[in-house]
Structure formats: C-alpha cells, structure tokens
Amino acid sequence: MTYTCLISSFPGDIKQTIEFARINKFSAISVNSINYGFRDRELLKLPLKNDHVPFSRSDLILEANDWSRRVIMMLSDPYGIDFKDGKVRQAKEALLCQELDHANFLQGSGYVMIRLNYGNKLANLARILAAKVKCLALINLKLSNEEDTWSWWNQLRTCANFSGKFKVVLEITSGAVNEEALKKWLGEPIEGLEIPTSLFIRNKNNYPVLPKNIQQVLGRFLEKRNINFFVSAPFDENLHFYSEYLESVKVKLSKYQDNVFKSVADALQIPLQPLYDNLDTYTYDVFEKDPIKYMKYQEAITAALKDMEGDSEKIIMVLGAGRGPLVRAVLNGACKSQKTVKILVIEKNACAINTLYGHMSETWLSETDKNPVIEVINKDMRDYNPPVKADMIVSELLGSFGDNELSPECLDCATRLLKDTGISIPYRSTSYVNPMMSTKLLEAVRNLPARGNQPEPFSYTKKAQTMYVVFLNNVYHIDSPKALFKFEHPNRENPVNNNRFGEVSFKAKTDCVLTGFAGYFDADLYKDIKISTHPLEHTAGMSSWFPVFIPLIQPQFVKEGEDISGSFWRNVGSHAVWYEWMTTSPQHSLMHNTEGHCSKIYSV
Amino acid sequence: MTYTCLISSFPGDIKQTIEFARINKFSAISVNSINYGFRDRELLKLPLKNDHVPFSRSDLILEANDWSRRVIMMLSDPYGIDFKDGKVRQAKEALLCQELDHANFLQGSGYVMIRLNYGNKLANLARILAAKVKCLALINLKLSNEEDTWSWWNQLRTCANFSGKFKVVLEITSGAVNEEALKKWLGEPIEGLEIPTSLFIRNKNNYPVLPKNIQQVLGRFLEKRNINFFVSAPFDENLHFYSEYLESVKVKLSKYQDNVFKSVADALQIPLQPLYDNLDTYTYDVFEKDPIKYMKYQEAITAALKDMEGDSEKIIMVLGAGRGPLVRAVLNGACKSQKTVKILVIEKNACAINTLYGHMSETWLSETDKNPVIEVINKDMRDYNPPVKADMIVSELLGSFGDNELSPECLDCATRLLKDTGISIPYRSTSYVNPMMSTKLLEAVRNLPARGNQPEPFSYTKKAQTMYVVFLNNVYHIDSPKALFKFEHPNRENPVNNNRFGEVSFKAKTDCVLTGFAGYFDADLYKDIKISTHPLEHTAGMSSWFPVFIPLIQPQFVKEGEDISGSFWRNVGSHAVWYEWMTTSPQHSLMHNTEGHCSKIYSV
C-alpha cells in the first residue's frame, strides 16, 4: 500500500487540512509540528512564564491513530545546530529536541520529516536524530546536479550507523540528472518522491501533466519499488488534478507490481546444502518450474549426442537426478538425435527415489518409441561403482555462486565413472563478483532472526560473515562483475586441487559506500551452449538462481575513481568447504569467515 | 483458522481419501507414511535388493502444497526404540529415521504425528525426534485417569529442551478426568483433541452427539484457545455427521474467539518506564479507555472528600496527571461531595501539558457549576515546591507488579507536599506472586527478537532475567498467589527504605514443571475501596493491567506435594531500581538479574 502526501505549509486547522487533503485525494498531510507564528516558544526544563501558552496543538483534536496514519510531522529547519557558536547551537538543539519529543508523543509508529538544505556539517544533527527519533525519520533532499545531496544523506546515515530508521524523500527538480547519481539513489532506502506543483506543465486540454524527462525519472523509481508521492503546493490550487495525475503515472509505470519475485526482494536466504541435507519435494518442485534451464540442458545433450560417432548404445549417467527432470531432458535428446541410450539414474536421496520409480512405471517408458533402458540407483555418486563406464555424465549441482553446492567435489569423484572419451555436461563453471552498496541488506543481516531451535541468536559479527542467496533489488552495483573461480569437468589432474584464490579489482564511478559483494555464475554445458546468471549475460527467462550476497562487517566509504580490491578464497577441508574474503582497497577489512568459523558447506 | 482432521487407518489411494474426507467436511487427513502391508521394507544405506519396491508413494500423486496442507503423516509405533537389545533398538531406529526423512521430504512446514502408548523409557525416541523432525511433531496421547500420560509428554519435551516443534494431540476418553490434570493440560501446547467416533451416542433423532461430560471437557479447551479436532473412525460410517457436530460444538463453546485480548495472548511486552521515558499519546489513549479504574478512583476521592471536615477549600494535587483522567475524577468527586476544591495538576511530560491546557480551556471549566481553580504545572513531582500544602494527593503510578514503575520513590518525594493531616490515594500497594508452568512463554522468551537499533541481539540468558508484561493464557498456575511487597503512603519514616526482601512458599498439587512466576498487585485507594489484578479478587471489568511474568532460566521438575520456594528482592540504587530473584526449592536456581545486570528501572 502506498500513500500520497500533501506537504502543507499553509496555516490552518489540522482537521480541516486533513479533510481538504482527503477531498483532493491525498491520504496524508505533512505539517509543521509547532503552532504557526509561535517563534518564542518556551523550552523544556525552563521555568514556565506567567503568560505561557502551549507550543503546539492538543493531541485530542485527532483520534490517536490518525496522528500516525494521516500526519507526517515536519520538523523546523535545523540550520545552526552544528554551529561552533554554543549559544546558537544549544538553542537550535533545544528546539529540535522539543519537536522530536512532541513527535514521539504523537507519532507512534508514524513518521517525522526534516528538510535538509545544507550539507557541510551534520554530525550534531545526526547524533540528535539517531538518539531521539523513535518513529521513522524521512530526510527530505533535492535530486539535482547542482548539489551533491547524496553526500549529505551519506554523512547523516553513517553517523547514525546505517540505522533502518532513516529513509529518503527525494525532491524532483527540473534540471538534468546524472545517470550514475540516479542509479546510486535507486540503491538507497527511498520512501518517496516529492513533486512540487511548479514542475507541472499544461497539456492541450489545460490539465497539469509532468514533462517527459521528469516522467522518465519517476519511471526509473517505480520500476524498482513501491514509491509514495509527496506533493508540495501553494494553497489555492485544484490539488486533486495533481494527485489524480500522479496516481495514473503510478499505475502506468509501476512495473514493480508485476514482479513475481517482489515478495522476496532483498530477503536473505540461507544457501541450500543439497549434498549434506536431502532436499524436500517443495524445493524440487521449484527447481522443476524453470523450463528454460532444462531446455538448455536438452539442447546441450542433443548436440553432444549428435556429435558422438557410431550407432552403438550410449551410456548416459544422470548424477544427482533428484525427481528426474534431467532424465526427461536425456530422453528427449536421445529422441531428437536418433541415438540409442542407456540411462543410469543416480540419486542419493531415498525419498526422491520413490518419485523416480513412479516416473519409471508411469511416464518415462510410454512416451518414447525407443524404450530406452533406464536404471535407478539409490547411491551417492561418490560411492557408486558402475558395471560399465559412461559416454556422458549430466548433472545440475550448481549453486548461486557456481561451485558453492560442491559440484567440483562431486564431479571429481565421478571422473572415474567416465570413459576416457567421455564428456561432462556441464564441462565448466565460473563464478563472478562485483562490489555493491545496500543499506537494506546491511539492515537485513542485522535483523536476521535466530534459526530453528537454536538456544542463542547469532551475533551480527557472525551473521555478517556468511553468504546469502538474495533477489537483489534495493542495491547499487558499484562496478560490473569480474570472473573469480573456474572449474573444468572432467578434471583428470592428479591430485585434484579445488582450493582457489582470486583477487579482483574494480573502480568506483562515483562516491559511494561498499557494503559487500554480489556473486553470480555461468556454466558451459556443451560447446557454446551455456546457462548464466551474470547480470550482463543472463540466460533469458531462467529463474532458478538468485545471486549471492557476500557481506562486509563494516561498510567502507569509497571516493569516485578509487579502486576496490577484494580477495576471495575457496578452502577445502576434510569435511567441509568454505569461503574466506577480505578487501585490501579502499581499506583493509578483517578476514571474513576465517577457517569457516561462521559458515561452512559440509561435504560429509 | 482451525482444521478438522480425519485419522484414516484404512488403506487406499491417498487422493481418494483426501476427496472422501473433503466430502465429509474434513480439511485434512492423517495417514501412515508407509505403504500398507509393506513390512519388510529396505532401509537407507543398505544395498538395494533385486526385487526392491519403493517403501512409500511417489510424491507426485499430490500437488506439493497439498502434502503440507492436507496430510498429517502418521509415524509407526515407536515401541522398541528404547530397548536395551541393540538389534531391536537399531532396527526400530532405522525405521523411524526413514519415516522422518520421508516426512521431511514431503511435509515442508506441515506436521507429523506419533501415537505414544507407553511411557517408561523415552530418551532415545526423544533424541531422534528432536534431531530429525524439521516440521511440527504432534505427540498423540490419551487424556485419562488410568495412565499418567502427562509424564510421558513431559519426559519427551524435557529431553528435547522444551522445543517449540512439539505439540500435543490429546485423545478424549470416556472415563472421568481429574480436575488438576485437566488444568495442567490446559497449560501445555495443545494442537488439538482426538475424538474417536466410539465416544458418540445417539440423540432422539438418531444423530451422533457427544455425552454432556465430554462436551464439558471440550468446552474447557475451547474456552482457552483455538482447538483442532482429530476424528478417528472406522471406514464405513457417515463421517460428515461427526465433523458437522464438532463444528457446531466449536461454534457454541469457543469463548476464546470473543476474547478481545486473544491477539496478544502470551505475547511478551517490555514493561513501561514512565518515569524515565515520557509516555506517548497512544499509551495514554489505552489507559483512558478503562472506565472501571477511574470509577474506582472517583468513588475513593468522593468518599475521602465527604470525610473531610469543614467547608474550607481543599487542596488536591494530581501527581503525574498524564492527559488528565484523574482531574476529571477529582472534579466529579468535588461535585458529588459538594466540597470546594483547588486542583494542582502536576505532570512532567511537556507534551501531555499541551493536552492539559486543551482540557482547561475547553472541557473542565464548562462542565461544573462550582468553577474550581485548576492550575497546570509542568514539573516532575520530585522537584515541585508548591505555595501551599495539599489535603490530598491522587496518583496512578502503578505498574503491573505494583511498585515496578517506581510509585514508592515518587510518592515518598511527594510526602513533603502533604499537610500533616493529608492523605494519599492510593494509600497502600501490595504485589503478589504465584508459581507457574508454561512452555509457550519459555519459547516466547527464546524467540524474542532484538529491539530497535541494537547492534546485537540479546542472549537467552539475558532475556530470561527480565520481567515481562503478559496476558497469560497458555499457562498452568501451580498454586494461588501470595503477597510479596507492601508500600504505604504517605510514608513518614525517616529515612525511608524502599528495599524489600520476600520469601514465599507454595505447594504443587500435581507433578509439573516450574518455568517462572506470575506477578500481580492490588492498591488500596481509600478505606476499603481498592483496585486489584490478583486473579482471585480481580476488579471486575478493569482492563488496564496484564500480569507480569518473571522467568526462570532453567525449568525445574516439581513432584506432587513438593514445596516451591521463591526469594525476591527489590533493590534501590542511586539511579535505578531492580528486582532479583531465585528459587531455593525444589531446586536452588542461580540468582536472576544480580545487580540489575539484565534489567533495571531507571529513576533518573
């Protein structure tokens, strides 16, 4: 549910203003919290004057809930609160504290808003807001090329330790907007956009509309998330024309509403460990709902079979078959390539075996005229000793970061199942990383609850040294991804070494804050047939994998043009595999997940 | 949303059974997870036989979600799993593990159920259930005077460290039920009641109905919470008569649905600290919605004014007036007693002062013909130096545990505001405690999330040494409350000492588990006019206070007839007050909240 808020600078009865706003189709108003014209108000702790009058309205003029649902308290201009001059600073501080006490009294779970028109010194303002604000605080800033308002915001929220209490209301201006600045704002917690009515032009029917360039800016935000509109206007206009127009823009441009993944946007998921934990039927069900992935596999299997010489029966092993989608792909590939195949279906999960038997007796045999031989084997592929060796092994052991579900360890064990001329589909996997900024994900790591029946919750320090699977949305990607780890299959090296180390460097196009890295992968299936989650080469329509998020405990400020260097390790122990990571630029971070103390992927 | 489940022991197609149940108005079925008659099933890790057949159905016969929504997997009888004989034990263990793997594969967030027909040794069963079950596990037990099935349940969940994964399905039997046993079950996490159709009798129209005594037992559960029904029946009956009858019983007896507090039942609330934090308008709003409390105050004020001699103006101070409800009570009291009063309204919260001014100019003066003098003073009562002394001070500074919002500290400072003959309303407050058992609250303390912007979540150890305000519901009160701390006002002792120590002893009427104490209070307003949250003397209709819950870190098993002794301290420091507590019987606990390290009530 989004709202449209009228920023009302005109004096008047608050009840009448809410009613006026409602008639004009605004669901909320933003007003000054202090009586209009009441400048010399008395402050807390001073002895009251004889002619004391209250500094604000009585709360009883509204139903308690209407204060938080209908009213956003606008705080006074804080300019002066960071002056060296103690007298000015203290007076301003006292005024702000009084207003915040008042807002806390009235707002409950609601909002206060503060307009920021300067950014040279903000530490004292940030300190007071972070300490005093109990509800949500909206920081109102201009989106403009004239002033670097992002750095004002960044100072504030950095002082406030990236608290989730702070969100941005961005005022749209008529000037051009720098593309990188816009992208950066899209990665910030934006509550809404302020549209002054002065930005509107008249269309041929004399109705107010926004110019095309401004519509485009609005579209960029609406594409990515729910946006609330704030309209600032003088009193005497027909304000409902503006709210109706903005509502129509929202309906027209809000692609986010159609995004099937919006319910899990920026939500942290613990990566699966299918080698250690058996998957359940729900997980298989989700996997199998991605036709694109299996089409690609089928394409690869067909091409590979076509390239195989002779008419002899080809032995194909499906390794980690789950509930059998790759068996279907092999059957179709055999049919298309007109080859005779024998399929050995290897799966360690005894429960999935029931499903495979069901398929064997019901679906697989009846649909093909060749009636291939299919055998279901309930074994871990690492323990399997087949009667014959395979011409082809097919597997889908890849995680969101490629090798993070231990496909290298599994496929290395399977090399001995292959003939010398045998091939593996996929034959290579590569992981990629890029640096990113996201307050939302930093907050998500902090707020991640304890899991299951754990007696104690995890500390932030531990949670921030763990990799997560995330549908990345409220994120600014600082630079494009670069390749990190590569694995080839079959790997006939002896001994095989699946430890890896990679160092990757990036450049910041603009001032920003590094909060972690995003990770992706691609897998080469056969020749140039591949699947990829790399954002610039993503396999169209494939939905099986979200990226991984690799957090940093401590955010790092990065200047435009500065290098970002990350070092990543993949370490193989006797019972587990784990990643470690750190940055060496712009700052040396501590080593994350040393010895896998915070997260491991178990192999036995 | 509750459900009605058909426990189906008859073989058949699961899809048909779900459909049969649906037609008969059951929303779920409970079935064996293993193929009917399939006794010699192969177990995981063994080499497969040549004539291997799957041990259960394929998951594909149902939509994935229907497994968790429509099916409760019934596990095999675990008897033997705790045998000393290694062969029997290991075989039983392997069977159970296979079934649990299978349930985890299919059930997602759903349920498994296990019937327990014995209770002499349960440790190995508990260990396996606690380790393996990922979904919710329903323990199916008989409610009967013949067997102490509660102790079976208690062994299981104690081994499993009171995990929230375990809930009880209680089979109703025809025999009489011991009242204390019933009360105890009402304090346990009951998922539902099983009703065998054999319990039904025929009414004069030949429809199946339950005998009165069984209806009464059902009513006891329905009074307290949402209850799901499980019906066990042979195949060939008209089962919809039973489900329809139970639905009508639910509608008729489910008082819980009408409970206005059910949304906060057993939810932990952090106690307010109105002396340290200023309250907000929402909190005042809730307070003022309890007319009973203010009626009692008005009654007390009226009686006290009537008892005062002479027609001179009486000075009445309302201390901590908030938004003014007690001022209204004083005005009404003056009117009823025909006394002339001057009211001094003292409130430290500058935001509430706005409200009081609003009342002064709008509501207070116009409604009385006497036009009493009212003065609003924005001061902490501890800093107030009045021009005259009072005949009466009126305050409502009481918390759920009486003195826990520091009313003694505040009122002691106010003694100097009183004439020598002056009185305080209230003139005494007393706190009470009783021992209780509640798995639900133990679980709630564990799961309490981090608050606000704290960088790290609290540990269980810290959270379990904090007092909470709770609407107690899923709780067994082991014994009746006893008085703990008493405070009298005005207290003219010199020096005043508000430290307290109390030791209280109780007796267990039946075997149970002590998980903490419940706390209440009463306050004597004037003569015999009082308000009370003591459960046996609760002021009818008064809703302002829920009890407090005083947790113990470690639950203690208590035998029938055994003593429970608790020691409680109230300690006053220079900046704060805190409670410490421990038990000395049945076991010595550690000292909780030593030096206030885990929770304090700040006084400055």
PDB file of all heavy atoms in Angstrom, chain B residues 392-418:
ATOM      1  N   MET B 392      -4.908  16.359  49.913  1.00  0.00           N
ATOM      2  CA  MET B 392      -4.999  15.041  49.284  1.00  0.00           C
ATOM      3  C   MET B 392      -4.083  15.017  48.064  1.00  0.00           C
ATOM      4  O   MET B 392      -4.046  15.987  47.302  1.00  0.00           O
ATOM      5  CB  MET B 392      -6.456  14.804  48.834  1.00  0.00           C
ATOM      6  CG  MET B 392      -6.716  13.420  48.257  1.00  0.00           C
ATOM      7  SD  MET B 392      -8.298  13.351  47.361  1.00  0.00           S
ATOM      8  CE  MET B 392      -9.479  13.655  48.649  1.00  0.00           C
ATOM      9  N   ILE B 393      -3.308  13.935  47.930  1.00  0.00           N
ATOM     10  CA  ILE B 393      -2.617  13.723  46.651  1.00  0.00           C
ATOM     11  C   ILE B 393      -3.229  12.491  45.988  1.00  0.00           C
ATOM     12  O   ILE B 393      -3.549  11.501  46.659  1.00  0.00           O
ATOM     13  CB  ILE B 393      -1.076  13.560  46.820  1.00  0.00           C
ATOM     14  CG1 ILE B 393      -0.733  12.451  47.829  1.00  0.00           C
ATOM     15  CG2 ILE B 393      -0.421  14.873  47.226  1.00  0.00           C
ATOM     16  CD1 ILE B 393       0.762  12.170  47.961  1.00  0.00           C
ATOM     17  N   VAL B 394      -3.445  12.582  44.708  1.00  0.00           N
ATOM     18  CA  VAL B 394      -4.034  11.482  43.948  1.00  0.00           C
ATOM     19  C   VAL B 394      -3.059  11.114  42.831  1.00  0.00           C
ATOM     20  O   VAL B 394      -2.545  11.997  42.136  1.00  0.00           O
ATOM     21  CB  VAL B 394      -5.390  11.887  43.319  1.00  0.00           C
ATOM     22  CG1 VAL B 394      -6.056  10.666  42.695  1.00  0.00           C
ATOM     23  CG2 VAL B 394      -6.286  12.525  44.338  1.00  0.00           C
ATOM     24  N   SER B 395      -2.787   9.818  42.678  1.00  0.00           N
ATOM     25  CA  SER B 395      -1.828   9.400  41.647  1.00  0.00           C
ATOM     26  C   SER B 395      -2.193   8.017  41.136  1.00  0.00           C
ATOM     27  O   SER B 395      -2.907   7.266  41.804  1.00  0.00           O
ATOM     28  CB  SER B 395      -0.407   9.356  42.226  1.00  0.00           C
ATOM     29  OG  SER B 395      -0.334   8.333  43.208  1.00  0.00           O
ATOM     30  N   GLU B 396      -1.712   7.702  39.965  1.00  0.00           N
ATOM     31  CA  GLU B 396      -1.911   6.353  39.391  1.00  0.00           C
ATOM     32  C   GLU B 396      -0.595   5.880  38.793  1.00  0.00           C
ATOM     33  O   GLU B 396      -0.487   5.654  37.610  1.00  0.00           O
ATOM     34  CB  GLU B 396      -3.035   6.359  38.346  1.00  0.00           C
ATOM     35  CG  GLU B 396      -2.926   7.440  37.298  1.00  0.00           C
ATOM     36  CD  GLU B 396      -3.837   7.170  36.081  1.00  0.00           C
ATOM     37  OE1 GLU B 396      -4.145   5.988  35.811  1.00  0.00           O
ATOM     38  OE2 GLU B 396      -4.207   8.134  35.412  1.00  0.00           O
ATOM     39  N   LEU B 397       0.393   5.714  39.641  1.00  0.00           N
ATOM     40  CA  LEU B 397       1.752   5.432  39.167  1.00  0.00           C
ATOM     41  C   LEU B 397       2.059   3.942  39.195  1.00  0.00           C
ATOM     42  O   LEU B 397       3.207   3.536  39.165  1.00  0.00           O
ATOM     43  CB  LEU B 397       2.754   6.189  40.052  1.00  0.00           C
ATOM     44  CG  LEU B 397       2.463   7.682  40.226  1.00  0.00           C
ATOM     45  CD1 LEU B 397       3.316   8.271  41.344  1.00  0.00           C
ATOM     46  CD2 LEU B 397       2.702   8.435  38.927  1.00  0.00           C
ATOM     47  N   LEU B 398       1.022   3.120  39.242  1.00  0.00           N
ATOM     48  CA  LEU B 398       1.228   1.694  39.498  1.00  0.00           C
ATOM     49  C   LEU B 398       1.474   0.909  38.225  1.00  0.00           C
ATOM     50  O   LEU B 398       0.825   1.134  37.196  1.00  0.00           O
ATOM     51  CB  LEU B 398      -0.009   1.147  40.214  1.00  0.00           C
ATOM     52  CG  LEU B 398      -0.232   1.807  41.581  1.00  0.00           C
ATOM     53  CD1 LEU B 398      -1.689   1.763  41.958  1.00  0.00           C
ATOM     54  CD2 LEU B 398       0.647   1.130  42.628  1.00  0.00           C
ATOM     55  N   GLY B 399       2.401  -0.020  38.310  1.00  0.00           N
ATOM     56  CA  GLY B 399       2.668  -0.907  37.185  1.00  0.00           C
ATOM     57  C   GLY B 399       2.016  -2.260  37.421  1.00  0.00           C
ATOM     58  O   GLY B 399       1.341  -2.480  38.431  1.00  0.00           O
ATOM     59  N   SER B 400       2.231  -3.172  36.496  1.00  0.00           N
ATOM     60  CA  SER B 400       1.609  -4.497  36.578  1.00  0.00           C
ATOM     61  C   SER B 400       2.037  -5.269  37.816  1.00  0.00           C
ATOM     62  O   SER B 400       1.352  -6.184  38.269  1.00  0.00           O
ATOM     63  CB  SER B 400       1.984  -5.322  35.341  1.00  0.00           C
ATOM     64  OG  SER B 400       1.285  -4.861  34.226  1.00  0.00           O
ATOM     65  N   PHE B 401       3.206  -4.909  38.358  1.00  0.00           N
ATOM     66  CA  PHE B 401       3.705  -5.577  39.557  1.00  0.00           C
ATOM     67  C   PHE B 401       3.639  -4.598  40.739  1.00  0.00           C
ATOM     68  O   PHE B 401       4.390  -4.716  41.702  1.00  0.00           O
ATOM     69  CB  PHE B 401       5.138  -6.040  39.311  1.00  0.00           C
ATOM     70  CG  PHE B 401       5.619  -7.115  40.250  1.00  0.00           C
ATOM     71  CD1 PHE B 401       4.794  -8.171  40.638  1.00  0.00           C
ATOM     72  CD2 PHE B 401       6.927  -7.095  40.742  1.00  0.00           C
ATOM     73  CE1 PHE B 401       5.243  -9.157  41.505  1.00  0.00           C
ATOM     74  CE2 PHE B 401       7.392  -8.090  41.604  1.00  0.00           C
ATOM     75  CZ  PHE B 401       6.543  -9.116  41.988  1.00  0.00           C
ATOM     76  N   GLY B 402       2.730  -3.609  40.641  1.00  0.00           N
ATOM     77  CA  GLY B 402       2.572  -2.639  41.722  1.00  0.00           C
ATOM     78  C   GLY B 402       3.650  -1.579  41.677  1.00  0.00           C
ATOM     79  O   GLY B 402       3.553  -0.614  40.910  1.00  0.00           O
ATOM     80  N   ASP B 403       4.696  -1.814  42.465  1.00  0.00           N
ATOM     81  CA  ASP B 403       5.732  -0.800  42.630  1.00  0.00           C
ATOM     82  C   ASP B 403       6.739  -0.716  41.480  1.00  0.00           C
ATOM     83  O   ASP B 403       7.698   0.055  41.564  1.00  0.00           O
ATOM     84  CB  ASP B 403       6.489  -1.072  43.935  1.00  0.00           C
ATOM     85  CG  ASP B 403       7.078  -2.477  43.963  1.00  0.00           C
ATOM     86  OD1 ASP B 403       6.360  -3.414  44.383  1.00  0.00           O
ATOM     87  OD2 ASP B 403       8.223  -2.655  43.539  1.00  0.00           O
ATOM     88  N   ASN B 404       6.551  -1.489  40.408  1.00  0.00           N
ATOM     89  CA  ASN B 404       7.605  -1.585  39.390  1.00  0.00           C
ATOM     90  C   ASN B 404       7.698  -0.392  38.454  1.00  0.00           C
ATOM     91  O   ASN B 404       8.583  -0.355  37.611  1.00  0.00           O
ATOM     92  CB  ASN B 404       7.452  -2.875  38.559  1.00  0.00           C
ATOM     93  CG  ASN B 404       6.195  -2.881  37.729  1.00  0.00           C
ATOM     94  OD1 ASN B 404       5.120  -2.599  38.241  1.00  0.00           O
ATOM     95  ND2 ASN B 404       6.324  -3.176  36.454  1.00  0.00           N
ATOM     96  N   GLU B 405       6.795   0.588  38.570  1.00  0.00           N
ATOM     97  CA  GLU B 405       7.015   1.835  37.822  1.00  0.00           C
ATOM     98  C   GLU B 405       7.466   2.940  38.777  1.00  0.00           C
ATOM     99  O   GLU B 405       7.366   4.116  38.488  1.00  0.00           O
ATOM    100  CB  GLU B 405       5.760   2.207  37.021  1.00  0.00           C
ATOM    101  CG  GLU B 405       5.497   1.179  35.919  1.00  0.00           C
ATOM    102  CD  GLU B 405       4.274   1.503  35.050  1.00  0.00           C
ATOM    103  OE1 GLU B 405       3.685   2.587  35.212  1.00  0.00           O
ATOM    104  OE2 GLU B 405       3.912   0.648  34.225  1.00  0.00           O
ATOM    105  N   LEU B 406       7.963   2.513  39.951  1.00  0.00           N
ATOM    106  CA  LEU B 406       8.591   3.384  40.955  1.00  0.00           C
ATOM    107  C   LEU B 406       7.616   4.341  41.638  1.00  0.00           C
ATOM    108  O   LEU B 406       7.997   5.436  42.048  1.00  0.00           O
ATOM    109  CB  LEU B 406       9.769   4.153  40.347  1.00  0.00           C
ATOM    110  CG  LEU B 406      10.773   3.296  39.562  1.00  0.00           C
ATOM    111  CD1 LEU B 406      12.043   4.088  39.320  1.00  0.00           C
ATOM    112  CD2 LEU B 406      11.095   1.990  40.269  1.00  0.00           C
ATOM    113  N   SER B 407       6.373   3.899  41.816  1.00  0.00           N
ATOM    114  CA  SER B 407       5.457   4.738  42.579  1.00  0.00           C
ATOM    115  C   SER B 407       5.969   4.989  44.002  1.00  0.00           C
ATOM    116  O   SER B 407       5.824   6.109  44.507  1.00  0.00           O
ATOM    117  CB  SER B 407       4.038   4.156  42.567  1.00  0.00           C
ATOM    118  OG  SER B 407       3.861   3.231  43.593  1.00  0.00           O
ATOM    119  N   PRO B 408       6.615   4.040  44.699  1.00  0.00           N
ATOM    120  CA  PRO B 408       7.112   4.379  46.054  1.00  0.00           C
ATOM    121  C   PRO B 408       8.111   5.540  46.027  1.00  0.00           C
ATOM    122  O   PRO B 408       8.002   6.477  46.825  1.00  0.00           O
ATOM    123  CB  PRO B 408       7.798   3.075  46.512  1.00  0.00           C
ATOM    124  CG  PRO B 408       7.123   2.000  45.737  1.00  0.00           C
ATOM    125  CD  PRO B 408       6.813   2.598  44.406  1.00  0.00           C
ATOM    126  N   GLU B 409       9.056   5.499  45.101  1.00  0.00           N
ATOM    127  CA  GLU B 409      10.064   6.564  45.031  1.00  0.00           C
ATOM    128  C   GLU B 409       9.412   7.918  44.739  1.00  0.00           C
ATOM    129  O   GLU B 409       9.801   8.943  45.314  1.00  0.00           O
ATOM    130  CB  GLU B 409      11.111   6.238  43.956  1.00  0.00           C
ATOM    131  CG  GLU B 409      12.155   5.190  44.369  1.00  0.00           C
ATOM    132  CD  GLU B 409      11.601   3.774  44.561  1.00  0.00           C
ATOM    133  OE1 GLU B 409      10.545   3.471  43.991  1.00  0.00           O
ATOM    134  OE2 GLU B 409      12.222   2.990  45.319  1.00  0.00           O
ATOM    135  N   CYS B 410       8.434   7.929  43.843  1.00  0.00           N
ATOM    136  CA  CYS B 410       7.780   9.190  43.501  1.00  0.00           C
ATOM    137  C   CYS B 410       6.944   9.698  44.667  1.00  0.00           C
ATOM    138  O   CYS B 410       6.998  10.885  45.028  1.00  0.00           O
ATOM    139  CB  CYS B 410       6.893   9.009  42.282  1.00  0.00           C
ATOM    140  SG  CYS B 410       7.826   8.700  40.788  1.00  0.00           S
ATOM    141  N   LEU B 411       6.162   8.806  45.264  1.00  0.00           N
ATOM    142  CA  LEU B 411       5.248   9.245  46.324  1.00  0.00           C
ATOM    143  C   LEU B 411       5.999   9.624  47.597  1.00  0.00           C
ATOM    144  O   LEU B 411       5.546  10.496  48.349  1.00  0.00           O
ATOM    145  CB  LEU B 411       4.182   8.177  46.588  1.00  0.00           C
ATOM    146  CG  LEU B 411       3.176   8.015  45.435  1.00  0.00           C
ATOM    147  CD1 LEU B 411       2.173   6.910  45.738  1.00  0.00           C
ATOM    148  CD2 LEU B 411       2.435   9.339  45.160  1.00  0.00           C
ATOM    149  N   ASP B 412       7.141   8.999  47.853  1.00  0.00           N
ATOM    150  CA  ASP B 412       7.944   9.416  49.016  1.00  0.00           C
ATOM    151  C   ASP B 412       8.377  10.872  48.864  1.00  0.00           C
ATOM    152  O   ASP B 412       8.365  11.639  49.826  1.00  0.00           O
ATOM    153  CB  ASP B 412       9.187   8.524  49.161  1.00  0.00           C
ATOM    154  CG  ASP B 412       8.813   7.137  49.643  1.00  0.00           C
ATOM    155  OD1 ASP B 412       7.666   6.950  50.099  1.00  0.00           O
ATOM    156  OD2 ASP B 412       9.667   6.238  49.545  1.00  0.00           O
ATOM    157  N   CYS B 413       8.758  11.245  47.664  1.00  0.00           N
ATOM    158  CA  CYS B 413       9.145  12.637  47.423  1.00  0.00           C
ATOM    159  C   CYS B 413       7.960  13.569  47.583  1.00  0.00           C
ATOM    160  O   CYS B 413       8.120  14.762  47.842  1.00  0.00           O
ATOM    161  CB  CYS B 413       9.709  12.796  46.016  1.00  0.00           C
ATOM    162  SG  CYS B 413      11.370  12.158  45.869  1.00  0.00           S
ATOM    163  N   ALA B 414       6.783  13.039  47.366  1.00  0.00           N
ATOM    164  CA  ALA B 414       5.586  13.883  47.436  1.00  0.00           C
ATOM    165  C   ALA B 414       5.038  14.026  48.851  1.00  0.00           C
ATOM    166  O   ALA B 414       4.140  14.834  49.097  1.00  0.00           O
ATOM    167  CB  ALA B 414       4.511  13.330  46.510  1.00  0.00           C
ATOM    168  N   THR B 415       5.599  13.270  49.803  1.00  0.00           N
ATOM    169  CA  THR B 415       5.116  13.366  51.187  1.00  0.00           C
ATOM    170  C   THR B 415       5.234  14.813  51.685  1.00  0.00           C
ATOM    171  O   THR B 415       4.338  15.328  52.378  1.00  0.00           O
ATOM    172  CB  THR B 415       5.933  12.424  52.100  1.00  0.00           C
ATOM    173  OG1 THR B 415       5.812  11.111  51.581  1.00  0.00           O
ATOM    174  CG2 THR B 415       5.435  12.467  53.533  1.00  0.00           C
ATOM    175  N   ARG B 416       6.307  15.492  51.284  1.00  0.00           N
ATOM    176  CA  ARG B 416       6.513  16.878  51.722  1.00  0.00           C
ATOM    177  C   ARG B 416       5.486  17.842  51.122  1.00  0.00           C
ATOM    178  O   ARG B 416       5.401  18.983  51.526  1.00  0.00           O
ATOM    179  CB  ARG B 416       7.944  17.318  51.376  1.00  0.00           C
ATOM    180  CG  ARG B 416       8.167  17.393  49.915  1.00  0.00           C
ATOM    181  CD  ARG B 416       9.601  17.443  49.476  1.00  0.00           C
ATOM    182  NE  ARG B 416       9.612  17.134  48.058  1.00  0.00           N
ATOM    183  CZ  ARG B 416       9.236  18.005  47.111  1.00  0.00           C
ATOM    184  NH1 ARG B 416       8.898  19.238  47.419  1.00  0.00           N
ATOM    185  NH2 ARG B 416       9.222  17.625  45.857  1.00  0.00           N
ATOM    186  N   LEU B 417       4.737  17.388  50.112  1.00  0.00           N
ATOM    187  CA  LEU B 417       3.695  18.240  49.535  1.00  0.00           C
ATOM    188  C   LEU B 417       2.406  18.210  50.352  1.00  0.00           C
ATOM    189  O   LEU B 417       1.501  18.996  50.134  1.00  0.00           O
ATOM    190  CB  LEU B 417       3.365  17.793  48.090  1.00  0.00           C
ATOM    191  CG  LEU B 417       4.526  17.635  47.115  1.00  0.00           C
ATOM    192  CD1 LEU B 417       4.026  17.146  45.760  1.00  0.00           C
ATOM    193  CD2 LEU B 417       5.260  18.974  46.953  1.00  0.00           C
ATOM    194  N   LEU B 418       2.331  17.256  51.293  1.00  0.00           N
ATOM    195  CA  LEU B 418       1.096  16.985  52.041  1.00  0.00           C
ATOM    196  C   LEU B 418       1.080  17.714  53.387  1.00  0.00           C
ATOM    197  O   LEU B 418       2.100  17.799  54.063  1.00  0.00           O
ATOM    198  CB  LEU B 418       0.982  15.494  52.336  1.00  0.00           C
ATOM    199  CG  LEU B 418       0.189  14.590  51.420  1.00  0.00           C
ATOM    200  CD1 LEU B 418       0.172  13.177  52.013  1.00  0.00           C
ATOM    201  CD2 LEU B 418      -1.231  15.088  51.207  1.00  0.00           C
TER     202      LEU B 418
END
